[in-house]
């Protein structure tokens, strides 16, 4: 096989069978694969665990600012992937001291939430959503629950009302789907956060936005706007898919079936397993080589873009052969939260875990006989190369009475 022929990432098969796609890429091209994104824009996709770990650990050689990219002249103006790669004044794109300043502010602002109050907020949001469908005896857990819990919790933590939160959530979905409406969706989100920042500068509250405004990081409005979008983008969809994928696992895998009835302890187990097997963050863009460098047998040129194949690296057979067995659920060496300077901030991981565990526990407490209402193989995955999540998760259960605001 010709290992230099680039693989088209927009091949529909990548969306329907990413695992098989990674297997074939690994066999044909090795750990670092030349790929073509939409519009045949070239990049490298890093799918080897060792290689990806190396890239993420060395932020001097594999740097973050998209201004370093050597293929900007090949990007059309209305390119759907532009929101993923455009150089924005945010934590994702910044480097060095500037990056450390922003990460500290985000960690402090997220950590500023009282853990007990946070759990109470997640429980309230979860209970309210369940009240909306429990009388029906049926629901789509993805659309009506998994995706909405983190979106509503994060928007409340930002100080947004639920209606604005819902609009922002739908724009965030458009951004991730990288379709033709992605650019407009991004513009609308900037508008919402501009108004929010103005109102919090005038009247601060006990929320993430106010804590970031008053942080020693000394944010300008534009910088803050960009980081708020980064925090919401980083947090809502990934956590929603994490909950959805864990519920799918618990509802379809017989190892969880026998214990699903009131199964509090298995929620954490399913959540960790999903980070290995169906990582919500499947792939991300990216890093840019700051100099010519050899990686996994390839010569990467200065300015080349590297796409980060977290899900593929987690499935690297080289890693798996040393790590099979019952201890796996406790093994957190997966790269689903990335690694190194630009990995998911620690406070954000803690917040994601609180939201996910609480959402699953509350659901199982309220609707203990919940079961999938379609055959397991009819649960389909979303057609996205970036995010891994189910399209729908239809379930049935014994109808229950709404609790209201107890
Ligand atoms: C299951 C849940 C989550 C997953 C799987 C996840 C995954 C990730 C990954 C893979 C990155 C690294 C991107 C890179 O290497 O360039 C990242 C970064 C980030 N995440 Fe998360 N995340 C989750 C939840 C959250 C939450 C709840 C928040 C916010 C409250 C958040 C905020 C961020 C931010 C701000 C960054 C940028 C870090 C930087 O560039 O320095 N994430 N996340």
């Amino acid at each position: 096989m010709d290992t230099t022929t680039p693989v088209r990432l927009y091949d529909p098969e990548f969306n329907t069978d990413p695992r098989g796609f990674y297997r074939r890429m690994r066999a044909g091209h090795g750990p670092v694969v030349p790929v073509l994104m939409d519009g045949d824009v070239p990049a490298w996709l890093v799918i080897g665990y060792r290689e990806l770990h190396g890239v993420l650990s060395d932020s001097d050689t594999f740097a973050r600012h998209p201004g370093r990219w050597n293929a900007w002249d090949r990007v059309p103006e209305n390119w759907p992937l532009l929101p993923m790669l455009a150089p924005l004044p945010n934590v994702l794109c910044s480097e060095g001291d500037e990056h450390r300043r922003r990460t500290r502010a985000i960690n402090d602002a997220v950590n500023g939430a009282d853990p007990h109050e946070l759990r109470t907020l997640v429980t309230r949001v979860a209970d309210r959503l369940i009240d909306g469908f429990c009388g029906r005896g049926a629901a789509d857990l993805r659309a009506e629950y998994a995706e909405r819990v983190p979106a509503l919790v994060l928007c409340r933590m930002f100080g947004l009302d639920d209606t604005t939160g819902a609009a922002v959530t739908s724009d965030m979905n458009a951004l991730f789907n990288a379709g033709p409406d992605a650019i407009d969706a991004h513009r609308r989100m900037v508008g919402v956060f501009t108004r929010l920042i103005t109102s919090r500068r005038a009247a601060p509250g006990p929320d993430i936005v106010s804590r970031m405004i008053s942080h020693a990081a000394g944010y300008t409005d534009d910088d803050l706007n960009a980081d708020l979008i980064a925090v919401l983008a980083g947090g809502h969809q990934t956590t929603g898919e994490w909950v959805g994928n864990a519920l799918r696992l618990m509802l379809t895998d017989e190892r969880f079936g026998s214990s699903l009835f009131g199964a509090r302890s298995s929620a954490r187990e399913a959540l960790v397993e999903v980070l290995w097997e169906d990582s919500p963050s499947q792939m991300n863009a990216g890093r840019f080589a700051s100099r010519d460098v050899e990686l996994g047998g390839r010569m990467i040129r200065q300015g080349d873009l590297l796409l980060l194949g977290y899900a593929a690296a987690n499935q690297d057979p080289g890693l798996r052969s040393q790590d099979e067995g019952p201890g796996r659920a406790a093994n957190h060496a997966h790269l689903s939260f990335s690694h190194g300077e630009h990995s998911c901030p620690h406070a954000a991981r803690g917040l994601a875990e609180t939201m996910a565990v609480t959402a699953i526990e509350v659901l199982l407490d309220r609707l203990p006989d919940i079961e999938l209402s379609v055959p397991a193989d009819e649960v389909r995955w979303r057609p996205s190369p970036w995010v891994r999540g189910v399209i729908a998760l239809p379930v049935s259960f014994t109808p229950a009475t709404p609790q209201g605001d107890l």
Side-chain angles (χ1 to χ4, degrees), residues 179-208:
D181 51 345
I183 292 170
D184 279 346
H186 183 254
R187 250 184 237 127
R188 281 193 298 271
M189 279 192 296
V190 171
V192 168
F193 287 125
T194 301
R195 290 189 288 280
L196 182 62
I197 292 166
T198 306
S199 89
R200 287 304 180 274
R201 280 211 191 273
D207 52 67
I208 286 182

Side-chain angles (χ1 to χ4, degrees), residues 363-375:
L363 183 77
L364 297 181
D365 279 353
R366 294 272 312 266
L367 307 171
D369 65 351
I370 199 158
E371 60 183 16
L372 207 59
S373 53
V374 296

Side-chain angles (χ1 to χ4, degrees), residues 64 91-92 99 103 106 154 231 234-235 238-239 242 281 284 287 308 310 336-338 341-345 348 351-352 355:
R64 193 59 190 86
V91 63
L92 296 163
H99 175 254
T103 310
I106 292 170
L154 281 168
V231 169
T238 41
T239 312
W242 195 21
S281 41
N284 197 11
R287 299 291 187 270
L308 313 172
Y310 308 119
S336 292
F337 288 110
S338 192
E341 271 187 35
H342 273 277
S343 66
C344 192
L351 170 59
M355 290 194 281

Side-chain angles (χ1 to χ4, degrees), residues 29 42 45 72 76-77 97 104 108 116 149 198 209 211 361 388:
H29 292 80
L45 173 57
W72 277 114
E77 212 174 292
D97 284 347
R104 214 172 298 129
D108 290 348
H116 177 71
V149 173
T198 306
V209 179
R211 286 194 286 273
E361 286 181 356
R388 182 139 171 97

Side-chain angles (χ1 to χ4, degrees), residues 252-337:
T252 56
D253 191 313
E254 58 189 22
R255 285 174 302 137
F256 293 93
S258 56
S259 60
L260 191 61
F261 190 79
R264 287 178 151 264
S265 64
S266 54
R268 280 177 197 275
E269 216 174 290
L271 283 163
V272 176
E273 185 162 329
V274 156
L275 293 176
W276 280 103
E277 303 297 332
D278 287 307
S279 175
S281 41
Q282 180 168 201
M283 182 175 86
N284 197 11
R287 299 291 187 270
F288 306 88
S290 63
R291 58 180 172 86
D292 290 357
V293 58
E294 192 268 334
L295 178 72
R298 305 281 186 180
M299 182 43 80
I300 312 294
R301 296 288 172 202
Q302 181 177 355
D304 280 1
L305 164 63
L306 294 113
L307 301 176
L308 313 172
Y310 308 119
N314 290 341
Q315 286 153 27
D316 189 333
L319 176 77
R320 297 244 155 173
S321 52
Q322 304 155 20
D323 184 40
E324 233 53 77
R328 183 167 193 82
N331 182 336
H332 291 263
H334 59 76
L335 296 175
S336 292
F337 288 110

